[in-house]
Amino acid sequence: MQIIEAENYEDMSRIAGQIIAREINSKPDTALGLATGSTPLGLYTELVKLYEEKRLSFQHTITFNLDEYVGLPASDSNSYHYFMKKHFFQYIDLKEENRHIPNGMAENLQEECKKYERLIEKSGGIDLQILGIGGNGHIGFNEPGTPFSAQTHIICLDQSTREANARFFPTMEQVPAKAITVGIETIMRSKQIILLISGKTKYNAYKRLLDGEITETFPASILHKHDNCTVIVDKETVC
Ligand SMILES: N[C@@H]1[C@@H](O)[C@H](O)[C@@H](COP(=O)(O)O)O[C@@H]1O
């Protein structure tokens, strides 16, 4: 696991943007794994900037988002479908048919999970996966206790995760209790992984990651076993 200490949030986003641009420019049909949350917002701004400056095109790129809430339609402003369109997709030339996000409204959620996993496989697997981290060490929505062997599945969200994400919802009751998430095994099959960590609230998670103990009670710890994983952490987290 390589660790890059960025000067600040902008620097973290810029470094990640450069790695992604290099990857897409050398392999235009890159399968990119995307994350939501506040952490990657600066990265999306950076990628849009590179696109507008004509230094990057997503014309042949295919994307797979990590997760989606169960029960929220794409039109709901708290869905990850909505998030991706608002913060990234609307500004770039990524073809609509190449954008993939799990469907949290699917009638048969188990089937949706299998379908999503097959789609990733069919594309040849994720080339470059972007990750954020939850305060409890979750990656995607793989909460503590999720088997490392899990593929795309339905997860009951931890109370701490629902509380952390409650800031986006009018009331706590409206925060969904379940989500579809790409599994840890699926994430680990990615050829390259970039984990972004930003802000004081992630200090404990970062410290625990550095401790190095690999345990299902701290999902991000599995990343120590990946042979091409880069952690980009900003100074605010470290100090
Ligand atoms: N499913 C997402 C994760 O993919 C994300 O990493 C995490 C941290 O979010 P933030 O970056 O806002 O701290 O939030 C959500 O739970």
Side-chain angles (χ1 to χ4, degrees):
M1 181 183 275
Q2 189 203 352
I3 296 178
I4 300 176
E5 272 188 30
E7 279 307 312
N8 49 39
Y9 180 75
E10 288 69 32
D11 193 32
M12 177 196 79
S13 307
R14 198 165 40 242
I15 295 168
Q18 281 164 1
I19 298 174
I20 294 169
R22 217 179 305 133
E23 171 74 17
I24 295 178
N25 284 332
S26 68
K27 184 177 183 292
D29 62 347
T30 291
L32 202 54
L34 299 175
T36 49
S38 308
T39 310
L41 283 176
L43 165 63
Y44 293 141
T45 304
E46 185 64 24
L47 291 175
V48 169
K49 195 177 121 220
L50 292 172
Y51 167 72
E52 285 171 348
E53 290 168 353
K54 302 202 182 332
R55 290 158 68 192
L56 181 60
S57 163
F58 299 90
Q59 192 74 37
H60 303 287
T61 309
I62 171 164
T63 62
F64 290 94
N65 264 77
L66 280 168
D67 43 23
E68 178 58 284
Y69 289 112
V70 166
L72 293 192
S75 56
D76 189 301
S77 60
N78 279 307
S79 74
Y80 288 160
H81 278 77
Y82 194 97
F83 175 103
M84 290 311 299
K85 198 165 182 185
K86 179 175 175 198
H87 297 292
F88 192 35
F89 293 161
Q90 66 163 320
Y91 301 112
I92 58 170
D93 61 347
L94 176 69
K95 291 187 185 129
E96 228 166 306
E97 66 265 29
N98 287 342
R99 312 169 183 177
H100 303 286
I101 304 179
N103 177 10
M105 293 296 285
E107 244 174 65
N108 186 336
L109 291 168
Q110 299 299 342
E111 194 42 51
E112 172 65 15
C113 293
K114 285 190 200 140
K115 205 173 92 188
Y116 202 69
E117 196 66 40
R118 279 197 299 269
L119 264 179
I120 295 176
E121 249 176 66
K122 214 175 116 201
S123 81
I126 307 284
D127 291 302
L128 176 47
Q129 175 67 59
I130 310 302
L131 294 177
I133 189 169
N136 61 4
H138 75 228
I139 46 177
F141 263 138
N142 292 283
E143 298 284 26
T146 305
F148 285 155
S149 59
Q151 296 197 333
T152 303
H153 63 286
I154 312 293
I155 188 99
C156 288
L157 299 176
D158 272 14
Q159 185 60 11
S160 66
T161 300
R162 294 185 68 229
E163 278 163 12
N165 291 348
R167 65 189 192 275
F168 302 112
F169 292 82
T171 64
M172 182 65 201
E173 289 67 46
Q174 281 165 272
V175 185
K178 289 183 181 174
I180 297 185
T181 183
V182 163
I184 296 180
E185 197 258 353
T186 323
I187 292 173
M188 287 297 283
R189 263 189 284 126
S190 312
K191 295 172 191 89
Q192 185 179 355
I193 296 176
I194 296 176
L195 169 62
L196 300 176
I197 309 184
S198 168
K200 282 191 181 62
T201 56
K202 300 292 166 70
Y203 173 73
N204 286 333
Y206 179 59
K207 218 172 104 212
R208 187 150 177 207
L209 179 69
L210 290 191
D211 282 350
E213 191 204 348
I214 299 173
T215 163
E216 287 178 352
T217 62
F218 191 74
S221 63
I222 190 70
L223 298 174
H224 283 288
K225 286 205 169 166
H226 197 281
D227 58 15
N228 192 359
C229 176
T230 305
V231 179
I232 312 177
V233 57
D234 67 5
K235 277 228 168 94
E236 209 197 324
T237 309
V238 183
C239 300

